[in-house]
Amino acid sequence: MLPSPVLRPDAGQLAGNVLHFARVLRRAGLPVGTDRPLLALRALELAGLGSRADLYAVLRACLIDRIEHRALFDQAFHAFWRDPELFAEILQLLLPHAPAAGRAPGGGPSQRLLEALAPDAARVPARVRAERVRVAFEGQPSSSDRERLRKADFDSMTTAEWSAARRLITALAPLLARLATRRHRPAARGRELDLRELLRGCARSGGEIVRLPRRRPATRIEPLTVLVDISGSMARYSRMFLHFIHALVNGSSEAALRVNAFVFGTRLTNVTRQLRARDPDEAVARVVAQVADWSGGTRIGACLGEFNRRWARRIPLASSTVMLLTDGLEHADTGQLAIEAARLARSCRRLYWLNPLLRYDAFEPRARGIRAILPHVDRLLPTHNLASLEELTRVLTAAYQGEPRAWK
C-alpha cells in the first residue's frame, strides 16, 4: 500500500493533476464543481492510493454522479492518466482532415474530450499547435465568430468550426408547438369555471363558497416525425441535423415520447431509441453504427413507401408534423416517389421539406425528383447552416394552421 497522497513528497503534483483532470472534465461538458476535486483529494487522503484501479474508483465516485456521464469520464480517465507521449497521437485527430463523425461507444475518445484535452496537453506536435488559434475560440466565441458560424455552410466547415456549431445547436433549445386537447387543467386565470372543483370545495366547506376555481384546456406537445436522407450527398448535413434532433428529443421527457426519427439511404431505419442517449456525440455514433447504408446510395421513393406501409399506423402520424430532409435527387422511378410523397402528405398534419440545395440563390426545381415531391409539401425550408436551423426552430415553435402551400 502506498502512503497517503498528502503525506507523500510529491503530493502537490498529484493534487495538481487531480485539479487539472477536473478542469478537463468541466471543459468537456460535465458538471464538475469546484467542490468535487477537493472531495476527491480528501477521499484519496483517507482511502490511500494502492493502485490505478483505486484512483479510478475514487475519482469516479467523487467527480461524477450521473450514469450518462460515465462513458465520457472513462475515456477522459484512460487518456489523461496514461503516458503523456500518447497525447500527441490523440491530438492528431484534431487536424482538419480528421473525420468529424462521432465514434462508437468504446471506440476511442469523443471529439468533445479531444477538444478539452487540447489546450493543456503536453508535447503537442507543431502542426497541432498551429490549430490552437482556431480551437481556442470554440469555448467562448465572439460575436463575429458566431455570426460567421451562423452563415457558414455545413459542407465547408473546418473541424473546429464543426465542433463549435454543434455546441451552438444545443444552445438553440428548440421548443415544439403544443396542441389543445379535450381535457382541462386547473388554472388561476382560466376562462371557464371548474364546476366539479367548485362542488368539491362547497362540500368541504359546508356549502360556503370560498373561491371560484377556474380551468383551461390542457395541451400536449405536437408529435414530430423526422425522415433524414443519409446518402453520400447528404451525409454531412444529415449528421449536423441529427444533433438538432437530439436537442429536440432530450429537451424534456415529454418531447422524448413525441419525436420519432428515421434515416434512409437505400433502406429505412428507425433511430429514435439511439437518439435518446444523453450525450450528443454518443447518440450520433450509435445512429451511424446502427445503419448499414450511411453515405451510400439513395432510393427516396422506395424508402418513403416502406415508411408508409410499416410505420404510418404505428406512430401518431395523423397529428404529426413530418420533416423530410433530402435534396430530392432521385435517380430511380420518380412516379413511385410522387405517389408515396402524396400518400405521406395525406397521412400527416403538415409536411415540411428541408432541402440544403436552397443555399443556392439560383435554385430552381428542375430535377425530376424535386418536381415529384414539391406539390405535396406545405413548406420548403433550407437547412445548410445555423441560421437556417434557427429559422426552423421558429417554424416549429409557432402553430401553423391553414397555411397555404409554399409551392404549387
Side-chain angles (χ1 to χ4, degrees):
M1 174 74 67
L2 297 176
S4 175
V6 175
L7 301 178
R8 295 178 57 185
D10 58 345
Q13 183 177 359
L14 177 61
N17 287 334
V18 172
L19 295 176
H20 184 189
F21 181 61
R23 287 194 295 268
V24 168
L25 294 178
R26 191 181 302 118
R27 283 197 300 266
L30 300 187
V32 180
T34 56
D35 60 319
R36 295 302 181 92
L38 298 178
L39 177 62
L41 291 175
R42 180 60 179 169
L44 288 173
E45 180 181 0
L46 296 177
L49 189 60
S51 63
R52 189 169 182 267
D54 294 340
L55 177 63
Y56 169 80
V58 171
L59 293 183
R60 194 181 77 172
C62 296
L63 297 182
I64 63 173
D65 55 3
R66 299 182 66 89
I67 191 172
E68 57 265 23
H69 299 157
R70 187 174 300 176
L72 187 60
F73 175 86
D74 291 344
Q75 294 181 6
F77 181 86
H78 294 301
F80 186 90
W81 298 96
R82 294 175 67 179
D83 186 357
E85 293 287 348
L86 297 177
F87 281 146
E89 301 178 7
I90 294 176
L91 291 174
Q92 290 291 340
L93 300 176
L94 284 174
L95 294 176
H97 67 268
R103 288 170 175 77
S110 66
Q111 182 71 16
R112 197 173 61 188
L113 174 60
L114 294 174
E115 296 164 6
L117 289 170
D120 301 295
R123 304 182 185 181
V124 182
R127 292 183 302 170
V128 178
R129 286 197 297 268
E131 296 295 327
R132 282 185 173 179
V133 176
R134 298 207 310 236
V135 177
F137 82 92
E138 295 177 18
Q140 296 179 347
S142 62
S143 299
S144 59
D145 292 329
R146 289 178 180 271
E147 184 63 24
R148 182 170 58 84
L149 280 177
R150 287 182 68 254
K151 298 180 180 180
D153 192 284
F154 292 150
D155 195 41
S156 60
M157 283 184 176
T158 63
T159 303
E161 293 171 342
W162 180 276
S163 302
R166 286 187 301 178
R167 284 194 293 273
L168 292 180
I169 283 178
T170 59
L172 291 177
L175 300 174
L176 298 179
R178 304 191 69 90
L179 304 177
T181 65
R182 296 182 181 180
R183 297 181 179 272
H184 291 77
R185 57 181 299 180
R189 299 181 180 180
R191 296 183 178 180
E192 303 179 11
L193 286 176
D194 192 343
L195 298 181
R196 291 185 178 180
E197 183 60 28
L198 179 62
L199 293 177
R200 294 192 194 100
C202 292
R204 288 192 296 266
S205 60
E208 181 180 358
I209 300 178
V210 179
R211 65 182 182 87
L212 293 177
R214 297 185 176 275
R215 67 179 187 176
R216 65 180 181 182
T219 60
R220 58 179 174 84
I221 291 181
E222 179 183 9
L224 181 67
T225 303
V226 183
L227 299 171
V228 181
D229 187 350
I230 57 172
S231 60
S233 59
M234 291 289 300
R236 196 165 180 85
Y237 300 100
S238 302
R239 188 182 296 274
M240 186 63 76
F241 191 72
L242 288 176
H243 282 274
F244 179 78
I245 299 302
H246 177 269
L248 281 178
V249 171
N250 292 272
S252 65
S253 58
E254 185 182 4
L257 300 177
R258 308 293 290 178
V259 178
N260 294 279
F262 300 83
V263 296
F264 67 90
T266 57
R267 68 197 72 178
L268 184 73
T269 306
N270 186 353
V271 295
T272 305
R273 181 178 300 177
Q274 286 75 16
L275 287 176
R276 288 176 182 169
R278 298 297 297 179
D279 186 87
D281 295 330
E282 181 181 355
V284 176
R286 289 182 179 182
V287 172
V288 176
Q290 177 69 20
V291 300
D293 54 344
W294 185 275
S295 191
T298 179
R299 296 191 303 163
I300 305 176
C303 293
L304 290 184
E306 183 181 357
F307 175 81
N308 290 331
R309 290 190 301 272
R310 293 186 54 192
W311 296 98
R313 298 177 182 269
R314 300 171 63 178
I315 60 177
L317 191 60
S319 58
S320 294
T321 293
V322 176
M323 293 193 299
L324 176 63
L325 174 66
T326 181
D327 52 13
L329 301 181
E330 174 69 287
H331 301 289
D333 182 18
T334 57
Q336 180 187 8
L337 177 59
I339 294 175
E340 299 299 343
R343 181 179 176 182
L344 178 61
R346 292 192 301 266
S347 302
C348 65
R349 189 180 184 195
R350 289 184 292 267
L351 177 58
Y352 292 156
W353 185 6
L354 312 179
N355 194 333
L357 293 180
L358 291 180
R359 65 186 185 273
Y360 300 114
D361 296 333
F363 170 79
E364 293 183 6
R366 294 183 178 180
R368 294 183 303 167
I370 297 177
R371 292 202 305 266
I373 304 176
L374 206 51
H376 310 292
V377 301
D378 295 285
R379 194 176 180 92
L380 184 62
L381 298 169
T383 176
H384 60 285
N385 54 19
L386 291 178
S388 62
L389 291 184
E390 291 176 355
E391 175 62 23
L392 178 60
T393 301
R394 289 189 286 269
V395 170
L396 291 177
T397 305
Y400 286 86
Q401 297 181 354
E403 186 174 290
R405 296 185 185 275
W407 296 75
K408 295 294 185 182

